[in-house]
Amino acid sequence: MRTRPNYIAGAAVTVWLLIVALPLYVMVAASVQSRTEFSANGPLSVPTSLTFENFLLVFNSGFGKYFLNTFLVTAGVVGIVLLVVPPLSYAIVRSQSRGTTLIFRFFLLGLAIPVQAVIVPMFYLINSVGLYDTLLGIILPTAAFALPICTLILSGTMRDITPELYEAMSVDGASTARTFLRLVLPLSKGGLSTIAVFAALQGWNGFLLPLILTQSESTKVITLGLFNFQTQYGINVPGILAAVMLSMVPVLLVYLFARRALVQGLMGVGGK
């Protein structure tokens, strides 16, 4: 049976595609134009000659160091989350003790506390332990604020593992550690990918914590670099958009390679 085409849905999708694609086109087109050409032809013009001077300007302004710092912060945040959240979520799902339930509720309480509400005491805490103006001083609080939502996501994924599988592992004489490593982690790949991507986005896009907890050029991350670049080169729109495009590339690559795992992690084990 042939179905009639949905012209209204097609038109809506086309409009949405234009809304999404137009800013991307402006950003890419402007980043490969000279300032003179961009000013003369406008943001919607097609580049007549390609130039990479905007990208050279970005890297000559210290963005290479900002990229490295941001990568280290992101790797540290993801590492802490993947080290802490899986065993914590497993304990929350499998343990029947009252203490574990209280710990889980304590983590859920963290979802209601914005970073802006604790930024002042956090500053004094980081400063008192000697971590001010260090990358570790950014990594630890960023990971701490990512733990509640990551724990909620992964514990939901682990709850979808059927009790029969745990019983089968118990019959085989598997210990708690072996059950966790051989059963739970393989069946929680979707959830693990989800929390890894979420933690990576938190580390890569963080602005307030690096702004408050660092001050030197050697610890500056890419979000602060973009902020300062915009302040210093406020008239150079192609240069600013080139910096923005470079900062987006790692996030887009992570999404492209992890989108299927993200969907599976949010829908449950195996995407069911």
Side-chain angles (χ1 to χ4, degrees):
M1 180 179 177
R2 296 183 60 183
T3 58
R4 298 178 58 184
N6 193 335
Y7 295 106
I8 297 178
V13 170
T14 303
V15 172
W16 178 251
L17 179 62
L18 291 175
I19 293 174
V20 174
L22 185 59
L24 293 177
Y25 167 77
V26 171
M27 179 180 63
V28 175
S31 64
V32 294
Q33 296 184 60
S34 64
R35 295 175 61 181
T36 304
E37 182 181 356
F38 180 83
S39 301
N41 300 331
L44 297 180
S45 62
V46 178
T48 57
S49 60
L50 302 181
T51 178
F52 296 98
E53 63 179 12
N54 298 312
F55 297 98
L56 293 176
L57 175 64
V58 168
F59 280 103
N60 290 334
S61 301
F63 261 64
K65 180 65 175 178
Y66 306 156
F67 265 85
L68 177 60
N69 289 342
T70 307
F71 174 79
L72 294 176
V73 169
T74 302
V77 172
V78 173
I80 292 175
V81 167
L82 292 181
L83 184 65
V84 174
V85 172
L88 176 62
S89 300
Y90 178 63
I92 290 171
V93 171
R94 295 297 296 165
S95 177
Q96 304 296 327
S97 67
R98 195 171 178 181
T100 305
T101 304
L102 291 175
I103 293 176
F104 183 54
R105 291 177 179 176
F106 174 77
F107 268 81
L108 292 181
L109 181 63
L111 295 174
I113 302 176
V115 63
Q116 294 85 353
V118 295
I119 192 64
V120 174
M122 186 184 303
F123 169 80
Y124 284 106
L125 177 62
I126 293 296
N127 190 46
S128 63
V129 297
L131 294 179
Y132 178 73
D133 202 25
T134 65
L135 295 182
L136 186 59
I138 304 175
I139 293 172
L140 293 180
T142 303
F145 278 96
L147 289 179
I149 185 64
C150 291
T151 303
L152 182 64
I153 292 173
L154 192 58
S155 59
T157 301
M158 290 182 178
R159 284 194 176 94
D160 288 338
I161 301 176
T162 60
E164 289 77 10
L165 294 176
Y166 288 109
E167 293 175 2
M169 293 292 292
S170 179
V171 170
D172 289 340
S175 62
T176 302
R178 184 182 176 191
T179 301
F180 173 70
L181 296 174
R182 301 293 295 275
L183 173 67
V184 177
L185 289 184
L187 292 181
S188 302
K189 289 181 179 179
L192 290 171
S193 300
T194 302
I195 65 173
V197 172
F198 177 82
L201 293 177
Q202 293 294 104
W204 189 268
N205 295 326
F207 177 77
L208 181 61
L209 291 176
L211 178 65
I212 301 299
L213 301 178
T214 61
Q215 66 175 0
S216 64
E217 193 73 17
S218 61
T219 57
K220 188 175 294 183
V221 295
I222 197 167
T223 49
L224 295 182
L226 285 173
F227 178 75
N228 293 339
F229 191 84
Q230 180 179 357
T231 303
Q232 185 177 0
Y233 301 96
I235 304 178
N236 187 358
V237 177
I240 295 174
L241 293 180
V244 172
M245 190 174 74
L246 288 175
S247 67
M248 288 175 54
V249 169
V251 177
L252 290 177
L253 291 177
V254 168
Y255 173 76
L256 288 176
F257 286 104
R259 64 187 186 277
R260 181 175 298 178
L262 281 172
V263 174
Q264 292 179 354
L266 294 176
M267 294 179 62
V269 176
K272 300 180 181 179

